[in-house]
Amino acid sequence: MKTPSEKEIHGIFLKIPFLAGLSEEERLELRRHIIHRDFRRNEVILNEDDTSNYLYLLLAGQVKVIQKIDQHKEHILAIHKTGDFFGEMALLDGKTAPASVVALTDGRICLITRETFIHVVRTNRRAVDGIIDLLCMRLRQAWLQIRVMSFKDAEDRVWAVLQGLGEKFGVRDSRGVIISLGITHQNIASLSTTSRETVTRFLSKAVKSGEIEILDRKGILLKRAFSEKRHLF
Amino acid sequence: MKTPSEKEIHGIFLKIPFLAGLSEEERLELRRHIIHRDFRRNEVILNEDDTSNYLYLLLAGQVKVIQKIDQHKEHILAIHKTGDFFGEMALLDGKTAPASVVALTDGRICLITRETFIHVVRTNRRAVDGIIDLLCMRLRQAWLQIRVMSFKDAEDRVWAVLQGLGEKFGVRDSRGVIISLGITHQNIASLSTTSRETVTRFLSKAVKSGEIEILDRKGILLKRAFSEKRHLF
DNA sequence: AGCTTATTGTGACGTGCATCACAGACCCTT
DNA sequence: AAGGGTCTGTGATGCACGTCACAATAAGCT
């Protein structure tokens, strides 16, 4: 994993919507209270039903937010990338974490303590608005996911998931949108409530029909046009 | 439908968490800005993708929050009862409504305009906290629904939905919990991503095995014990 | 490089449940 | 009280897809 430089971290902080209202000085003060932590692929960062006292900001790498369904099955609620937050729910309503967070790749997070977080929110009107926006986004995303899950055909669900990944992680290319993530067929299955085999079969079929292309190094090129922005993740 | 009395309405307002911080005077001032509206069973109160300028408070009756999946299919995201809010998302993030709201029974709502709502939130610290709590509740509920939807067996999903209904609408009884709602098998199916026939068959089976009992006047008595509080709706 | 573990690719099989079809019960409405 | 609409109960049918099984790659690790 490439450790982000001081400059990059500063850039990440500047882009965080809910800290937009802070002065440069306040931002620096905030950063002084922050703990950094590296993590490795498959490491559990946060456990469902634990009481957590931090807000997490992802500085590098990707994580998945999951619910365990049974011993052999998990459902992925979201995938986060650099600059994304998670863990805010437990801080906001004081209950236990509603989902676990597991690393998809090696990476780095920083932890903002409950006290620091509360302080920022209490002293900063725009921070509150940012938090409300964040919650609204999460809720819309969850409802969209519910909609996708109620599609009858497994293939429709998988395709919707690919589109969603394309919107959040895709980079435009002359031929379409490229998703390059450390994601497995099993992960896609856990996102789309289907089995790993169904995903594998669907992808092969989609390659044959020319809708997608598998690139070297885990890239998926989506060639079919998007219907619209939906923010599935 | 029984129209709620002045006194009952006052009682409803007192119990609203996000208005808890208001003085009696402010509460009265707020109520002066409010429009009442009666609705009938099956009436569409709010349409997905519309821009809505009101926060809705249910004074009497029940409504379902739905997403249309296709021409013949809908998914129910939530059922609301007297005292519940809906429509807050469009006000908070300024986007279109993420779901439709349709009346399950005749009833009455009151509409709080965007301006009034914003005014309350701007001038009242505790109102903001109430809103954040509401959003957290909605999000936890959505994630729980996602978990239930990813259960493999239709029967498990239906049973989870019945439990959820019991928690929100049930009244305790010496023999268990009674759900008395104007809900159809089709509604239960739309809550649990299965077909109406599967629900019917499951209910008959559950009656035979003694887990539930169908009472006159649309009541369902759940005899099996609950595992835990989960707030599915 | 070589060995191990994780991931992907495919065939074969069985079944849960969606779907269709229709009958009977139970309403509202006039 | 009649009768049209909605809701419930149940059988028959078919197939999408979950599951098992195993082979072929690819990716990590020392």
Side-chain angles (χ1 to χ4, degrees), chain A residues 50-198:
Chain A
D50 278 2
T51 54
S52 155
N53 291 303
Y54 299 102
L55 178 66
Y56 300 81
L57 170 62
L58 200 47
L59 296 176
Q62 286 119 30
V63 300
K64 57 181 175 182
V65 181
I66 62 170
Q67 285 179 330
K68 282 213 97 50
I69 303 303
D70 61 45
Q71 204 154 24
H72 308 288
K73 200 169 148 195
E74 70 183 28
H75 182 85
I76 302 184
L77 290 161
I79 295 181
H80 291 311
K81 63 176 184 193
T82 306
D84 287 345
F85 281 102
F86 57 91
E88 72 283 350
M89 287 277 285
L91 291 193
L92 289 170
D93 68 7
K95 303 203 176 86
T96 56
S100 304
V101 177
V102 178
L104 280 176
T105 63
D106 296 354
R108 166 172 284 194
I109 41 175
C110 65
L111 288 69
I112 300 169
T113 64
R114 160 174 268 120
E115 293 70 35
T116 309
F117 174 69
I118 300 281
H119 178 256
V120 170
V121 173
R122 288 267 166 249
T123 56
N124 205 290
R125 185 78 228 183
R126 285 174 69 187
V128 176
D129 293 345
I131 286 294
I132 289 180
D133 272 355
L134 177 67
L135 290 173
C136 285
M137 209 188 66
R138 293 251 198 276
L139 199 51
R140 282 179 187 272
Q141 182 269 324
W143 282 4
L144 180 55
Q145 186 157 143
I146 287 173
R147 153 166 282 148
V148 168
M149 287 177 79
S150 65
F151 290 171
K152 194 170 63 66
D153 295 328
E155 302 206 345
D156 292 347
R157 293 197 300 276
V158 174
W159 185 251
V161 163
L162 289 183
Q163 287 206 158
L165 291 172
E167 280 156 23
K168 173 145 184 182
F169 302 98
V171 289
R172 288 226 155 265
D173 178 86
S174 59
R175 294 174 301 164
V177 171
I178 295 172
I179 306 166
S180 48
L181 265 179
I183 208 177
T184 65
H185 292 186
Q186 180 58 63
N187 285 326
I188 297 175
S190 303
L191 280 162
S192 47
T193 25
T194 189
S195 68
R196 197 273 305 166
E197 292 89 332
T198 297

Side-chain angles (χ1 to χ4, degrees), chain A residues 14-26:
Chain A
L14 277 182
K15 280 197 219 115
I16 295 168
F18 103 89
L19 298 180
L22 270 66
S23 66
E24 191 59 25
E25 206 174 314
E26 288 171 310

Side-chain angles (χ1 to χ4, degrees), chain A residues 48 67-69 73 75 89 93 95-96 98 122 125 128 136 139-140 143 146-147 149-150, chain B residues 48 67-69 73 75 89 93 95-96 98 122 125 128 136 139-140 143 146-147 149-150:
Chain A
E48 193 172 344
Q67 285 179 330
K68 282 213 97 50
I69 303 303
K73 200 169 148 195
H75 182 85
M89 287 277 285
D93 68 7
K95 303 203 176 86
T96 56
R122 288 267 166 249
R125 185 78 228 183
V128 176
C136 285
L139 199 51
R140 282 179 187 272
W143 282 4
I146 287 173
R147 153 166 282 148
M149 287 177 79
S150 65
Chain B
E48 192 173 345
Q67 285 179 332
K68 281 214 100 47
I69 304 303
K73 201 169 148 198
H75 182 83
M89 288 277 284
D93 68 8
K95 302 202 177 87
T96 56
R122 288 269 166 245
R125 184 80 230 182
V128 175
C136 285
L139 200 51
R140 283 180 188 272
W143 283 2
I146 287 173
R147 152 167 282 147
M149 287 178 81
S150 65

